[in-house]
Amino acid sequence: MSDEAGPSGCVVDTYAKKRTVSVSTVEKWIAENDASINTVTWLGSLKCKICIRYKERLVSCRNYNTAFIEESSNLRISAVKDHSRSDMHARAMALFSKSQGKPVTEYAPIVKALNFLDAVTEQRLKKKFDIAYFICKQRGHIEESVPWVVTIWCLAHRLELALKDALRGTYFDTVDDMLLRVYYLYEKSPKKCRELDEIVASLKQCIDQSDLPGIGNCPLRACGTRFVCHKVTALKRIIDRYGVYRTHLVSLTEDPTTKPADKQKLKGYILKWRDCKLLLGCAMFHDLLNPASILNKVLQCDELSIIDAIECILKTTWEMEQLRAANFENLPTVNKVLSLLCHNDGINYRSSELIQYEQGIAYLKSHKNGFADSIAACLKERVKLNNPGVLNDAVILLFTQGWQRSQGVDCADTALRSAIAHFTVPLQNAHVDVFLVEEEWKDMQNNT
């Protein structure tokens, strides 16, 4: 497609010859829509000047496209408005405003969103902000005036941060990008979902239904507040439906309704799906993340004691050590995938041809222990207790099974003295005679 200057300064689409738009029309669009979408700042010759400036920092944005970077061929004001509402344009405008030295209140999306709240929601949100501000402001004062207060960070949240730290900058980024892309491909397309169901129905006639477990066929959401849980379930769905998705992606490239530019993107995407390393990488990361996913769910239970939390953390650490010690081929999901590979006339998995089998196996074998070590190290570093001394004392006192051993009794005595010393003030405020606590403790031990 190319653009040429037409009569009276018109810009002409020489590929379709269906529509022209004059320079004066574009100028009219800019003038009429500046108040609502700030067109004076960014629109020029059907290009977004701001997105062009920051294009290198926009490629990771959701639904990224180069329409208004390379010059749009959609010569309608609706296309201009759609671009102004896109994630990539919002990101570019925020970067531009920041570079101009504007205060964050003028360009931050969250601040702009606050301007459109209804009165009831605004009051509720204001109350939450007031509470958060009070806690942040008073925290130092509270810790100084009541030093016996013990703060514990949300372990589930720290677990999420640990896993993000462990996998950032590794091959998992490639796997994660695939999970997000395939999810967004089907997220708002009932037509694609129906086509997917039709492919599954036809495949069920030639394969066992146990090969396609679970409910539904569309990719699962791979992002959200429960990072690790979303990733593990999304990986399992991809592994179970790998051949189905690959078949449908190929059919989309042959669909006459698919735009030529989208067909080229899909063809490049399909090449990545042919790489055996991607499939086996999904299986390996499913195995490595599964213990952390279970721990994440346990830590979010309503009734969870510190004993249960620590036991689960220790169990997860042990499971990570077992996974590290296991051979790559013996990881549960990896072993299942390898058993389903067909080696006749090349490598096939669920009717999908794969390439670079040996290279993929070699890469993942050599990096498996590195991934496991990184996850385990980040877990130990992130999932730490802020005040280990006091909390360890609490664990010893509450872990009654340890009282059955003489060593445990002696250890519990020491823990009790330490706890009394730490909580002396609140105990006295509760009218507890701290000098009698240890004596009563001994009486309880003698009668159990």
Side-chain angles (χ1 to χ4, degrees):
M1 185 181 295
S2 63
D3 291 340
E4 298 175 355
S8 304
C10 292
V11 177
V12 183
D13 182 353
T14 60
Y15 179 82
K17 298 289 185 182
K18 291 181 180 179
R19 179 179 174 83
T20 62
V21 59
S22 65
V23 173
S24 61
T25 300
V26 176
E27 292 176 346
K28 181 181 178 182
W29 290 350
I30 294 174
E32 291 180 348
N33 295 277
D34 183 58
S36 58
I37 58 177
N38 202 15
T39 45
V40 170
T41 302
W42 63 269
L43 183 60
S45 300
L46 295 180
K47 289 185 180 181
C48 179
K49 295 180 287 186
I50 308 302
C51 287
I52 291 173
R53 177 184 296 187
Y54 298 103
K55 63 180 180 180
E56 299 298 331
R57 301 175 67 175
L58 303 178
V59 292
S60 61
C61 290
R62 177 183 175 185
N63 298 329
Y64 171 79
N65 67 75
T66 58
F68 276 81
I69 293 178
E70 298 175 351
E71 190 164 3
S72 177
S73 59
N74 191 347
L75 311 178
R76 292 175 174 82
I77 184 60
S78 59
V80 175
K81 292 181 179 180
D82 288 343
H83 176 72
S84 71
R85 292 190 290 266
S86 66
D87 292 342
M88 62 176 286
H89 182 73
R91 171 67 173 159
M93 291 299 292
L95 292 170
F96 174 74
S97 298
K98 187 176 181 180
S99 69
Q100 299 298 305
K102 294 183 179 180
V104 69
T105 53
E106 292 188 15
Y107 64 83
I110 188 172
V111 178
K112 290 183 177 180
L114 294 176
N115 296 328
F116 299 96
L117 296 177
D118 59 79
V120 176
T121 306
E122 183 179 356
Q123 288 301 317
R124 290 176 180 173
L125 195 59
K126 183 179 179 181
K127 184 177 180 180
K128 292 180 180 179
F129 275 123
D130 289 340
I131 294 171
Y133 174 75
F134 175 79
I135 292 173
C136 292
K137 184 178 180 181
Q138 298 295 326
R139 181 179 173 184
H141 175 69
I142 291 173
E143 291 178 347
E144 182 179 343
S145 58
V146 282
W148 58 83
V149 171
V150 179
T151 59
I152 304 177
W153 291 102
C154 175
L155 292 179
H157 184 224
R158 303 199 79 165
L159 174 64
E160 304 259 325
L161 296 176
L163 295 172
K164 288 184 178 181
D165 288 344
L167 299 175
R168 185 181 293 114
T170 68
Y171 183 67
F172 182 77
D173 289 343
T174 300
V175 175
D176 191 33
D177 180 68
M178 178 272 294
L179 293 176
L180 294 174
R181 282 175 178 266
V182 73
Y183 170 71
Y184 288 134
L185 180 66
Y186 292 95
E187 180 190 17
K188 295 181 180 180
S189 179
K191 178 174 179 281
K192 289 188 177 71
C193 293
R194 287 195 301 271
E195 293 171 349
L196 206 58
D197 291 337
E198 292 172 0
I199 292 174
V200 172
S202 63
L203 286 176
K204 283 183 178 179
Q205 299 174 5
C206 57
I207 62 175
D208 186 72
Q209 290 199 23
S210 62
D211 283 349
L212 295 174
I215 300 174
N217 299 302
C218 289
L220 298 175
R221 184 160 66 103
C223 56
T225 52
R226 293 189 176 185
F227 165 85
V228 62
C229 297
H230 286 307
K231 299 302 179 191
V232 169
T233 53
L235 285 168
K236 186 178 187 307
R237 176 60 62 86
I238 289 292
I239 295 167
D240 291 339
R241 308 289 197 275
Y242 200 87
V244 175
Y245 297 145
R246 169 83 186 283
T247 300
H248 189 225
L249 289 173
V250 173
S251 70
L252 290 176
T253 63
E254 300 169 354
D255 189 341
T257 62
T258 305
K259 297 178 181 179
D262 292 338
K263 285 185 179 181
Q264 293 302 317
K265 292 180 182 179
L266 285 170
K267 288 178 180 178
Y269 193 39
I270 291 170
L271 287 176
K272 294 182 180 180
W273 278 66
R274 291 187 64 197
D275 193 340
C276 195
K277 183 168 69 172
L278 184 65
L279 171 63
L280 292 175
C282 289
M284 179 190 69
F285 284 118
H286 179 274
D287 288 327
L288 294 181
L289 292 176
N290 194 51
S293 174
I294 297 172
L295 174 62
N296 184 270
K297 293 178 180 178
V298 171
L299 292 177
Q300 296 184 61
C301 293
D302 292 333
E303 297 181 1
L304 181 70
S305 69
I306 189 171
I307 298 290
D308 295 332
I310 291 177
E311 284 184 346
C312 291
I313 291 171
L314 293 175
K315 181 179 179 182
T316 301
T317 304
W318 178 82
E319 289 177 346
M320 290 303 304
E321 292 173 353
Q322 297 299 111
L323 290 172
R324 190 196 185 285
N327 292 328
F328 174 76
E329 296 88 348
N330 293 333
L331 295 176
T333 310
V334 172
N335 181 266
K336 178 183 177 182
V337 171
L338 291 174
S339 68
L340 293 173
L341 292 180
C342 179
H343 294 262
N344 297 330
D345 298 326
I347 306 295
N348 289 274
Y349 176 76
R350 299 196 189 281
S351 304
S352 294
E353 182 184 2
L354 301 175
I355 60 174
Q356 298 183 333
Y357 173 75
E358 298 295 339
Q359 296 92 323
I361 288 282
Y363 175 85
L364 296 173
K365 275 186 177 180
S366 63
H367 287 77
K368 188 265 290 183
N369 285 350
F371 294 136
D373 289 340
S374 182
I375 292 173
C378 285
L379 280 175
K380 292 177 182 178
E381 178 63 27
R382 281 278 191 177
V383 188
K384 277 184 177 179
L385 301 176
N386 292 2
N387 197 330
V390 176
L391 294 174
N392 284 343
D393 294 337
V395 170
I396 293 170
L397 292 171
L398 295 173
F399 188 59
T400 56
Q401 295 177 2
W403 299 355
Q404 301 301 320
R405 301 184 297 273
S406 59
Q407 184 179 1
V409 172
D410 295 339
C411 186
D413 290 344
T414 304
L416 179 67
R417 296 188 194 101
S418 177
I420 292 173
H422 185 87
F423 295 105
T424 297
V425 175
L427 287 172
Q428 289 176 340
N429 291 339
H431 306 293
V432 174
D433 189 341
V434 294
F435 299 103
L436 294 177
V437 172
E438 190 171 351
E439 185 177 329
E440 293 173 351
W441 168 262
K442 290 293 184 183
D443 291 340
M444 183 187 70
Q445 289 180 335
N446 294 333
N447 293 315
T448 55

